[in-house]
Amino acid sequence: MDIQQPLSLLGGLTPAQFMRRHWQKKPLLVRQAIPQFSPPVQRAELFALAAHEGVESRLVQRVKGAWKLRHGPFSRRALPSLQQPDWTLLVQGVDLHNDAVHALLQQFRFVPDARLDDLMISYASPDGGVGPHFDSYDVFLLQAHGQRRWRIGRQKDLTLRDGLPLKVLENFEPEEEYVLEPGDMLYLPPRYAHDGIAQGECMTYSIGFRAPARAELAQELMARLAEDAADDDNTPLYADAGQPAVPHAAAIPANLQDFARAALTRALAQPQALERALGEYLTEPKASVWFEPGDPGVMLEGVRLDRRTRMMYDAKHVFINGESYLAGGRDATLMRRLADERQLAARDLARASDDALELLSSWCDAGWAHTWSA
Ligand code: SIN
Ligand code: CO
């Protein structure tokens, strides 16, 4: 993506300016971010998705002032009637199920893929909303259908109301208010308080991000490094030829502590071990994702990644759906292009090595990529 090109999506800012001025810092309201926006998912299609096992959905309702939360799947009959006010259906990860929604998400790839999470769609009946709250992640709230009144604020007091099934702020102090029309978009940094109330029937698309917590990263990476260590054949036993007799048998020897520390240091010090573990972790498909084995096809015209495939790279590796490959030279250039563009044209394939073609073909077999014509 050209990060110096002003975008109407960002209200005329370039991606570079947006990231510098707003990302993780301050909100941005963009009127007509997508002019004449024609939402790719209609109400009936959203309800059908919410009925699926393997699609994460939630229903938030306020009944006589009390907040209620239920988790899907929801049959159509399990949803309140359209005439009933004050309910919201939220469907997570719609980009995994719909090509047009996946394409819409691609417009936000001025943020690294490693940070992009999913596109959630909410449907609200009149007056529906999920209450004043804050999220831990950045979000772009794109109005898709109808109007929503957003009240937002910097909110110092993050106390939540007790005993509710969802996070609702105890003392919301809004500072600004906007009514969003279809095509309008509001960016909010993490922890910025917001409350969106549907003015009539309304659909909002949330472009959401992920940010690993330090503890989660440590846990994930150490688990992967531990697997590598278990594969290490050259693994000496602790030896203590110099161990003197001890008067206090229960005390752990300092030498054994040193040995343990050296074992961990060694696991971490393996060249590229950490980078490989990180790339594999970041490209792990979502738990609900299941690839259908593909048609081997012939890759004459080109190849494109499946919308559910996660592909990234670093200086030495290419990662795809939790697997890593060491790549260098022309093949690395080609695979990086595939990861960035999510497709390769016939002319790219014409220059690919046999090894690269074989790999691409195995990814097509696995359903991770598709030949152009498929
Ligand atoms: C919604 O779309 O109803 C909620 C989105 C949000 O507040 O994060
Ligand atoms: Co929110």
Side-chain angles (χ1 to χ4, degrees):
M1 182 178 293
D2 179 357
I3 56 167
Q4 304 298 349
Q5 165 94 33
L7 298 179
S8 60
L9 183 74
L10 298 173
L13 294 180
T14 67
Q17 288 167 328
F18 170 81
M19 293 304 280
R20 235 180 2 251
R21 295 178 197 170
H22 293 273
W23 182 251
Q24 301 242 307
K25 296 186 193 80
K26 58 178 185 186
L28 177 67
L29 171 70
V30 182
R31 294 290 180 195
Q32 290 307 287
I34 305 187
Q36 279 107 43
F37 181 45
S38 130
V41 175
Q42 307 302 316
R43 183 178 70 201
E45 201 182 330
L46 189 72
F47 290 1
L49 270 177
H52 272 282
E53 199 74 54
V55 175
E56 196 189 325
S57 57
R58 286 168 292 156
L59 178 68
V60 175
Q61 235 180 322
R62 216 155 28 148
V63 184
K64 298 196 188 94
W67 290 100
K68 294 222 152 64
L69 168 71
R70 277 164 50 208
H71 291 275
F74 301 103
S75 67
R76 178 64 191 88
R77 291 213 328 270
L79 296 174
S81 83
L82 298 179
Q83 282 71 43
Q84 187 175 321
D86 215 343
W87 62 273
T88 302
L89 172 73
L90 305 121
V91 181
Q92 214 71 50
V94 181
D95 52 296
L96 299 173
H97 305 282
N98 181 297
D99 276 332
V101 172
H102 174 75
L104 177 61
L105 197 55
Q106 305 311 296
Q107 296 193 38
F108 296 85
R109 287 182 77 216
F110 49 84
V111 182
D113 287 345
R115 295 282 272 111
L116 203 53
D117 187 12
D118 75 339
L119 193 147
M120 175 186 86
I121 300 184
S122 71
Y123 168 87
S125 72
D127 296 332
V130 299
H133 66 282
F134 62 92
D135 298 304
S136 310
Y137 307 101
D138 309 76
V139 66
F140 289 93
L141 298 154
L142 171 64
Q143 191 57 22
H145 171 78
Q147 294 179 325
R148 187 184 281 275
R149 180 180 302 276
W150 285 104
R151 293 182 305 149
I152 66 172
R154 281 166 296 179
Q155 191 78 23
K156 290 262 166 10
D157 176 4
L158 298 181
T159 314
L160 299 176
R161 279 174 58 184
D162 256 350
L164 298 188
L166 62 165
K167 288 190 331 183
V168 176
L169 283 165
E170 179 88 273
N171 306 303
F172 179 42
E173 294 171 57
E175 296 169 313
E176 284 156 276
E177 180 171 317
Y178 310 105
V179 175
L180 266 66
E181 306 277 345
D184 291 349
M185 188 170 77
L186 179 62
Y187 163 76
L188 295 176
R191 287 176 299 283
Y192 216 92
H194 52 288
D195 186 19
I197 311 267
Q199 313 288 101
E201 186 188 66
C202 145
M203 282 170 86
T204 303
Y205 289 13
S206 294
I207 291 90
F209 295 84
R210 61 177 182 153
R214 190 166 59 189
E216 172 201 330
L217 257 194
Q219 186 185 9
E220 282 290 337
L221 299 185
M222 282 189 210
R224 284 166 201 271
L225 294 176
E227 277 172 34
D228 292 352
D231 292 342
D232 185 357
D233 293 333
N234 172 26
T235 180
L237 299 182
Y238 172 63
D240 54 358
Q243 173 68 56
V246 291
H248 304 292
I252 296 171
N255 280 349
L256 184 48
Q257 289 175 328
D258 291 344
F259 183 74
R261 189 168 294 108
L264 269 187
T265 310
R266 182 185 160 85
L268 266 171
Q270 297 305 307
Q272 296 301 318
L274 181 88
E275 290 81 352
R276 194 179 69 223
L278 180 61
E280 290 179 1
Y281 166 62
L282 290 173
T283 57
E284 203 63 71
K286 295 214 164 152
S288 61
V289 167
W290 197 255
F291 290 97
E292 302 295 333
D295 183 352
V298 217
M299 291 180 302
L300 287 178
E301 302 195 17
V303 58
R304 64 181 162 81
L305 295 180
D306 184 87
R307 61 174 178 263
R308 293 161 301 176
T309 284
R310 284 183 163 162
M311 187 172 185
M312 298 175 203
Y313 56 84
D314 66 17
K316 293 262 175 15
H317 306 91
V318 167
F319 306 100
I320 180 166
N321 293 334
E323 291 193 0
S324 55
Y325 301 87
L326 274 172
R330 241 182 30 204
D331 283 350
T333 310
L334 185 79
M335 293 305 182
R336 286 177 191 175
R337 171 176 297 194
L338 175 60
D340 281 331
E341 315 283 333
R342 297 190 64 85
Q343 62 185 43
L344 289 175
R347 64 176 181 285
D348 300 316
L349 294 176
R351 290 195 300 255
S353 72
D354 286 349
D355 282 351
L357 286 175
E358 205 171 301
L359 207 50
L360 288 170
S361 150
S362 74
W363 295 345
C364 288
D365 289 349
W368 294 0
H370 306 283
T371 53
W372 215 237
S373 42

